[in-house]
Amino acid sequence: MRRLTIICALCFVATLALAQRITRHYDNVSMSKALMELNDLQHEYTVNFIYDELEDFKVTTDIKHEKLTDAILQIVGFYPIRVVKSGEHEIFVECTHKTDRHLTGTIIDEQGEPVAYANVAILNPSDSTLLSGGVSNESGYFAIPYEQPTVLARISYVGYKTVYRHCNQPNVGTIRMQPDNYTLNGVVVQGERPKVVLQGNSLMMNVEGTVMERLGTAEDVLTRVPMIAKRGEGFEILGKGAPLIYLNNRKLTDLNELRNVQSDFIRSVEVIQNPGARFDASVNAVIIIRTKRAAGEGLGVELSSWSRCGRGYANNERINLTYRTGGLELFANLFGAYNRRKSSGEFEQTVFADTLWVINNKQKDNVRNPFLEGRFGFNYQINDNHSFGGFYQNTYDNVKTRSEYDDDLQADGVPYDHLQNSSVRRDKNAPTHQVNLYYTGKVGQLSIDFNADYTSRKQQSRNQQQELSTEYEDRDVNTESQTRSKMFAEKLFVTHPLWKGLIEVGEEYTNTCWRSRFDNPEGYITNSNNEQHESNIAPFMELRQRLGRFQLSAGLRYEHVESEYYVNGIRRDDQCRTYDDFFPSFSVSTSAKNLQLSFSYAKRTTRPSYWQLSSDVTYENRLNRQTGNPYLKPVKYHNLNAMVMWKWLYLMTNFSHCVDPILYTAGSLEEDSKVNFVTYLNYDHADWLTVTLGAQKNVKLCDRITWTPQYNMSLMKPWFKSLFNGQEKSFSHPMLTLQLGNIVLLPHDWLLQADFNMHTHGNTGSNIWVDCTNPMLSLSVSKDFFQRRLNVKLTGNDLFNGGINHVMLYSNRMMYRKMEDNDSRCIQLSLQYRFNVTPSKYKGTGAGNSEKNRL
């Protein structure tokens, strides 16, 4: 009982100590009001001051878990105010320059944003001698004591023209500052805050206050970020593949959502090329989009429409509703789309078996895809330190594909057969349920982040294929496959200051159940019934420190994975796996004047998708079948990354050593050697080096017209060898990529964009040869109306129709040459209207994110 009493007493003392810590947000509040509130929030000190003396001084700041004395010093800032502690419980706050007058005003820049820490000097109008001075606060407000009836105010800030004002009234109102321009040979170069900076092992691009705010959507902004390339409907980090994309720490499961995040809501975009221990070991790169602080109450409505017309047609519609009151936010999102795609292709397949088979194929696909997704959820912010929330999402996706094939078959140079194929494939992915719950909080100096996810998905595919042969029997092939999967995941990590930095400790757990059934009533393909259970537990720790000019971070993640494989309900011990591995990461960065340097290392992995592990067989024609491989091993990467930045120039290098890469391979069917059996195999290793040189700069052509070029040149050099037709073949030819982006900002809210991309022939780090350059030119024009509530944008994509792909795949006994036209040349029109819309406060980061991608 005595021990319990002592423990309770200690907890009570600790609680009182915590209570003396103060967390508040002040937005243009008078100093007197702020001091009165601070006095009432604690009981250790009495704050004494003269109300009228401090009333004109405004406060804009965030106080986070500070002692009373530190909180008062923070709100005083650069004001001419003295803070004196008397005795043990008395604090006196007084103005050091006691006058009846205070010169007050607000300083903004050319875009209407507040200018913090601008210098304001009070001069004598007759001889310009200095009488007094001060600095603007975070809201651009200043208050400076003065005595003379008339004074001369001088307002200055680096990069802006100095402003002089004769003042005979205490309030000078709003002062708008203009950039300081220097004209050289008819070209105006404007001083600006750097758009791209290095922060540790991350590359950060500032969007707020730049022309990037005017691009339209988050999707448009990402195409302007160094190292990011648009690939079809997704994005790729050069040399790293597809990244995970987060919006305010919430992972995006639907990239269409990027089209509905307005660019002027975005504060910054961060690219992490070597993610630390907090992220899944299978994540090679991360993009984090951060938006501005949410504000506003009541109902917010956002309507958007996006249409695309080429040979096919697509139309997307989205409605976003938010309602905010106090700390509660309710939101609902409804997204609907109807896509009709037409694509065509030709391929030539050469099979080196006991007979030399050559197959020439022409294919046309017509795809119709209605899509519907709904999400609703809530977020509740208890105070500045605690918030929680959740959402439920349901997706309906139905794809119908009509395909027509013509195959000419030759055996040893002699015509063998002609096949005419027609198929109708129906893929139904419904329902897909997803639930996320999260909590973020701060207790003392300890920050807590918890997420839990549940996903359930049912996928069904039916294919009816008719194969007509000129020389042999006709075939009707009907296949049906059904996949069900469930996943539960949770992630918890805590952060605490340590020495000159912080330490982060956490764990992540994922449990997955995946079932697949395949049927072919005609018996051309063996039926199958597979099931896989997998669990993954991963504790991790990361330490970040600042030592002088150097920022250091080191992390370690341990993953224990247990995988069980069942065939027809019977456990296959030889296909069950247990993986135990450590994934270290390290980074160091520094800066000196305009030069920034960063170096990092990380070990990562990629586990095979469940389809790659499946033994289900896909029937293409009587000479081609495809299946997975349950014996595949995870791929491991050792990534070294270095970045150098000087002003607006940047150089980035990445070297990856890949162990057990997974590639396509072709073999013969045991009972019929002429039938090609395509599957996946692990190869020994592959290496590649990626070097990117880029520049991004604002150039002011004339008054109110700004040109922003962003040019990147990237060289990828792979080192890889594999067997082809019984001999070792090298796939080490380098590939050069060129990205030329141009933005022209015009008066009256007009914006023009012109982009050109291309690459040379070369290898991609696998057994594929890219035999095309893909020169693609895109132009767009957009206009804002009604104070930027309505945006209209017209885009012409791939105007020269250079997006036709030509690739060659060399695999064991097969050479595969393919031409594919995915209808990239098209016209797009987008309309977006917003009413009282602000970015969501939702802070959930999700758990089991890499596992969702595998499913």
Side-chain angles (χ1 to χ4, degrees):
M1 188 66 185
R2 182 179 179 183
R3 289 182 179 178
L4 181 61
T5 304
I6 293 174
I7 292 173
C8 293
L10 290 174
C11 291
F12 179 73
V13 171
T15 303
L16 287 179
L18 275 176
Q20 304 307 307
R21 296 278 183 170
I22 295 171
T23 297
R24 301 298 296 167
H25 170 68
Y26 294 110
D27 187 2
N28 223 23
V29 177
S30 71
M31 179 75 68
S32 301
K33 184 177 179 180
L35 290 173
M36 291 175 63
E37 187 175 35
L38 293 178
N39 183 70
D40 294 337
L41 287 174
Q42 49 79 49
H43 306 288
E44 185 178 357
Y45 294 98
T46 300
V47 183
N48 303 284
F49 62 96
I50 300 176
Y51 189 94
D52 292 338
E53 186 180 86
L54 305 179
E55 180 63 11
D56 287 340
F57 297 105
K58 302 295 183 182
V59 176
T60 299
T61 190
D62 278 305
I63 301 174
K64 295 184 178 180
H65 200 69
E66 299 287 353
K67 296 179 180 178
L68 176 67
T69 52
D70 294 332
I72 292 177
L73 291 175
Q74 183 173 329
I75 67 172
V76 166
F78 295 100
Y79 285 130
I81 296 175
R82 179 171 56 197
V83 181
V84 178
K85 182 180 177 183
S86 178
E88 295 183 358
H89 303 289
E90 295 284 328
I91 295 177
F92 292 87
V93 183
E94 63 176 342
C95 182
T96 58
H97 190 173
K98 301 180 185 296
T99 65
D100 294 331
R101 300 186 181 95
H102 292 106
L103 189 69
T104 62
T106 302
I107 304 172
I108 61 175
D109 62 15
E110 76 280 11
Q111 296 180 348
E113 297 294 326
V115 177
Y117 312 118
N119 292 309
V120 182
I122 306 297
L123 309 177
N124 191 321
S126 60
D127 57 7
S128 297
T129 57
L130 180 66
L131 302 176
S132 182
V135 177
S136 61
N137 66 12
E138 294 180 7
S139 65
Y141 177 86
F142 64 88
I144 304 172
Y146 74 105
E147 297 177 351
Q148 294 184 206
T150 301
V151 295
L152 177 65
R154 182 183 67 198
I155 300 97
S156 60
Y157 189 74
V158 176
Y160 290 86
K161 294 180 180 179
T162 300
V163 176
Y164 290 89
R165 287 281 180 91
H166 281 275
C167 307
N168 52 20
Q169 297 292 331
N171 191 338
V172 298
T174 300
I175 300 173
R176 184 183 295 270
M177 304 193 72
Q178 298 296 329
D180 199 1
N181 301 327
Y182 302 91
T183 303
L184 299 174
N185 296 328
V187 178
V188 178
V189 181
Q190 179 180 356
E192 58 177 315
R193 179 180 63 172
K195 289 186 181 64
V196 182
V197 296
L198 295 182
Q199 292 188 358
N201 67 331
S202 301
L203 184 144
M204 183 81 69
M205 189 180 85
N206 297 309
V207 176
E208 184 177 12
T210 73
V211 69
M212 302 298 170
E213 286 188 323
R214 299 289 312 282
L215 293 186
T217 67
E219 184 180 50
D220 300 315
V221 171
L222 289 186
T223 61
R224 304 292 178 182
V225 180
M227 300 300 295
I228 298 179
K230 186 78 181 292
R231 296 287 188 257
E233 296 299 317
F235 291 90
E236 178 182 303
I237 303 294
L238 297 177
K240 290 298 187 70
L244 290 184
I245 301 179
Y246 288 82
L247 177 65
N248 287 334
N249 293 325
R250 174 175 64 84
K251 179 183 179 292
L252 297 185
T253 57
D254 176 16
L255 295 187
N256 285 318
E257 192 173 344
L258 292 172
R259 295 174 182 161
N260 295 281
V261 178
Q262 288 299 294
S263 55
D264 56 357
F265 283 160
I266 300 174
R267 188 173 77 248
S268 64
V269 177
E270 180 180 5
V271 180
I272 306 175
Q273 296 196 72
N274 266 350
R278 179 199 300 186
F279 297 97
D280 302 316
S282 60
V283 177
N284 280 312
V286 174
I287 297 174
I288 301 177
I289 302 171
R290 294 183 175 90
T291 60
K292 300 176 185 177
R293 180 186 298 273
E297 298 281 330
L299 179 66
V301 181
E302 183 176 13
L303 308 175
S304 64
S305 177
W306 175 89
S307 297
R308 173 188 184 276
C309 184
R311 289 199 305 273
Y313 172 78
N315 189 70
N316 299 343
E317 310 287 344
R318 185 182 288 269
I319 301 175
N320 296 333
L321 302 175
T322 58
Y323 179 77
R324 292 191 179 97
T325 176
L328 178 65
E329 175 191 70
L330 303 176
F331 60 87
N333 314 111
L334 182 64
F335 173 69
Y338 180 81
N339 299 324
R340 183 172 180 177
R341 303 188 301 272
K342 292 184 178 181
S343 62
S344 61
E346 297 180 6
F347 74 75
E348 179 184 273
Q349 181 178 344
T350 304
V351 181
F352 300 91
D354 50 2
T355 301
L356 180 64
W357 295 95
V358 178
I359 306 171
N360 288 286
N361 170 281
K362 292 183 179 180
Q363 175 180 344
K364 293 182 179 179
D365 293 322
N366 192 329
V367 182
R368 297 185 180 185
N369 177 205
F371 181 90
L372 184 64
E373 179 181 275
R375 173 190 294 180
F376 65 89
F378 76 98
N379 175 77
Y380 186 70
Q381 190 159 350
I382 302 173
N383 52 42
D384 290 340
N385 286 336
H386 303 278
S387 67
F388 65 94
F391 72 78
Y392 167 76
Q393 177 176 299
N394 197 322
T395 302
Y396 174 85
D397 186 12
N398 196 344
V399 183
K400 182 178 181 181
T401 305
R402 291 184 177 272
S403 301
E404 300 290 337
Y405 308 84
D406 273 321
D407 294 310
D408 285 311
L409 283 67
Q410 291 184 358
D412 289 331
V414 179
Y416 176 79
D417 198 2
H418 177 79
L419 300 177
Q420 284 186 322
N421 291 276
S422 62
S423 69
V424 178
R425 182 185 179 97
R426 294 176 174 85
D427 297 294
K428 183 178 180 181
N429 301 314
T432 299
H433 306 279
Q434 183 177 347
V435 179
N436 172 258
L437 298 173
Y438 85 91
Y439 164 78
T440 63
K442 190 172 184 180
V443 179
Q445 293 184 307
L446 187 70
S447 298
I448 304 170
D449 195 303
F450 174 77
N451 276 264
D453 272 272
Y454 174 78
T455 300
S456 175
R457 177 176 299 173
K458 177 182 177 182
Q459 299 168 289
Q460 192 171 23
S461 177
R462 291 189 178 95
N463 187 39
Q464 297 174 310
Q465 183 167 337
Q466 186 180 49
E467 191 176 88
L468 303 179
S469 171
T470 302
E471 302 294 334
Y472 301 93
E473 83 281 356
D474 297 335
R475 287 184 180 180
D476 288 330
V477 182
N478 296 280
T479 60
E480 180 179 352
S481 63
Q482 182 172 290
T483 301
R484 293 177 180 268
S485 59
K486 293 182 180 180
M487 186 207 74
F488 168 76
E490 59 84 17
K491 184 177 182 179
L492 170 68
F493 62 91
V494 295
T495 307
H496 194 278
L498 179 66
W499 195 33
K500 296 182 180 181
L502 56 86
I503 185 171
E504 188 174 80
V505 180
E507 57 79 28
E508 185 170 10
Y509 172 74
T510 304
N511 187 284
T512 307
C513 177
W514 181 85
R515 297 181 177 90
S516 174
R517 180 179 58 82
F518 179 85
D519 295 308
N520 172 227
E522 292 83 10
Y524 295 117
I525 308 171
T526 304
N527 297 338
S528 64
N529 186 1
N530 303 321
E531 184 175 340
Q532 187 168 354
H533 296 200
E534 188 170 293
S535 64
N536 183 343
I537 180 71
F540 58 86
M541 180 178 68
E542 188 165 351
L543 179 66
R544 303 171 205 161
Q545 294 291 314
R546 175 181 286 275
L547 302 177
R549 287 190 173 185
F550 291 91
Q551 295 183 45
L552 305 174
S553 71
L556 184 64
R557 183 183 181 97
Y558 167 74
E559 293 198 356
H560 173 76
V561 182
E562 293 184 355
S563 178
E564 296 179 304
Y565 200 88
Y566 297 83
V567 177
N568 296 321
I570 300 174
R571 189 177 189 271
R572 291 287 185 91
D573 293 337
D574 60 332
Q575 294 178 222
C576 297
R577 297 285 186 272
T578 298
Y579 302 103
D580 292 280
D581 208 346
F582 289 93
F583 298 93
S585 59
F586 171 79
S587 72
V588 57
S589 63
T590 186
S591 61
K593 294 185 178 179
N594 294 321
L595 184 66
Q596 302 175 73
L597 305 171
S598 174
F599 175 82
S600 62
Y601 162 80
K603 179 184 176 183
R604 317 304 292 174
T605 187
T606 297
R607 297 185 181 88
S609 68
Y610 285 95
W611 159 245
Q612 289 177 320
L613 293 169
S614 171
S615 58
D616 294 350
V617 178
T618 299
Y619 182 92
E620 296 182 5
N621 56 47
R622 62 187 64 191
L623 292 180
N624 284 289
R625 301 178 189 180
Q626 183 174 332
T627 186
N629 180 2
Y631 296 96
L632 287 176
K633 295 182 291 185
V635 185
K636 295 179 182 178
Y637 302 89
H638 297 273
N639 296 324
L640 292 172
N641 190 75
M643 295 185 285
V644 181
M645 186 168 295
W646 182 76
K647 292 186 178 179
W648 40 270
L649 295 172
Y650 44 85
L651 175 67
M652 304 176 194
T653 61
N654 178 78
F655 177 78
S656 294
H657 174 64
C658 177
V659 181
D660 297 325
I662 297 175
L663 299 176
Y664 273 113
T665 187
S668 300
L669 198 64
E670 291 184 5
E671 57 270 24
D672 190 348
S673 64
K674 72 175 180 293
V675 178
N676 229 24
F677 204 67
V678 180
T679 185
Y680 303 91
L681 280 181
N682 289 107
Y683 283 74
D684 183 57
H685 74 279
D687 302 310
W688 57 84
L689 174 69
T690 304
V691 180
T692 300
L693 177 65
Q696 183 173 328
K697 180 69 177 174
N698 274 4
V699 179
K700 194 160 188 178
L701 301 177
C702 61
D703 188 32
R704 301 178 68 188
I705 298 180
T706 303
W707 170 44
T708 303
Q710 183 190 24
Y711 298 156
N712 292 314
M713 184 172 60
S714 180
L715 177 68
M716 179 183 180
K717 166 60 178 174
W719 290 272
F720 177 69
K721 294 180 180 180
S722 69
L723 289 177
F724 168 64
N725 197 22
Q727 296 181 352
E728 190 175 66
K729 183 175 176 61
S730 175
F731 299 90
S732 303
H733 195 283
M735 178 182 290
L736 184 68
T737 301
L738 188 65
Q739 299 172 312
L740 306 178
N742 299 273
I743 307 171
V744 180
L745 182 62
L746 301 174
H748 308 295
D749 291 329
W750 285 93
L751 191 73
L752 303 179
Q753 298 181 62
D755 301 290
F756 178 78
N757 303 311
M758 68 168 294
H759 58 76
T760 62
H761 304 77
N763 296 116
T764 61
S766 64
N767 55 348
I768 293 177
W769 166 261
V770 178
D771 197 24
C772 57
T773 58
N774 292 130
M776 301 177 66
L777 175 67
S778 298
L779 302 175
S780 73
V781 57
S782 64
K783 175 78 168 72
D784 290 326
F785 300 90
F786 310 125
Q787 298 180 343
R788 298 190 180 178
R789 289 194 182 95
L790 175 65
N791 176 267
V792 181
K793 184 177 182 180
L794 181 65
T795 304
N797 283 323
D798 189 14
L799 298 179
F800 296 155
N801 199 29
I804 300 176
N805 295 318
H806 296 263
V807 297
M808 295 182 66
L809 184 145
Y810 298 86
S811 176
N812 282 3
R813 63 172 211 153
M814 181 185 72
M815 181 175 67
Y816 185 88
R817 185 197 307 269
K818 185 175 184 178
M819 183 281 292
E820 187 175 33
D821 184 357
N822 288 313
D823 193 22
S824 58
R825 181 166 61 177
C826 64
I827 299 295
Q828 292 179 191
L829 175 66
S830 64
L831 305 173
Q832 190 152 26
Y833 180 78
R834 298 175 294 161
F835 170 74
N836 192 27
V837 174
T838 54
S840 175
K841 301 178 182 179
Y842 200 83
K843 299 178 182 179
T845 60
N849 293 321
S850 64
E851 191 70 5
K852 296 173 192 173
N853 294 336
R854 291 181 68 206
L855 292 173

